[in-house]
Amino acid sequence: MTWQVVWEPAALNAVAGHLKADPASGDTLLRVTDQLAKNERPEGARA
């Protein structure tokens, strides 16, 4: 099953701030979020 991640406007604004301050961490955040949409419980994940 594939999930969909829906970003709230406030969350997108926060990500934009991270991208400006630290592009690498913002990129990582977006990449990992995309991965969670494909596999919501990756190996090693905890509640």
Side-chain angles (χ1 to χ4, degrees), residues 6 8 16-17 25 29 31-32 41-42 47:
V6 178
E8 295 289 333
S25 70
L29 174 65
R31 185 173 34 82
V32 171
R41 292 189 183 157

Side-chain angles (χ1 to χ4, degrees), residues 12-37:
L12 287 174
N13 288 338
V15 170
H18 283 287
L19 286 170
K20 288 179 185 175
D22 184 1
S25 70
D27 182 57
T28 300
L29 174 65
L30 294 172
R31 185 173 34 82
V32 171
T33 303
D34 286 342
Q35 290 174 356
L36 285 174

Side-chain angles (χ1 to χ4, degrees), residues 1-5 31-42:
M1 175 183 277
T2 301
W3 297 89
Q4 180 180 12
V5 176
R31 185 173 34 82
V32 171
T33 303
D34 286 342
Q35 290 174 356
L36 285 174
K38 295 174 187 147
N39 180 7
E40 78 281 6
R41 292 189 183 157

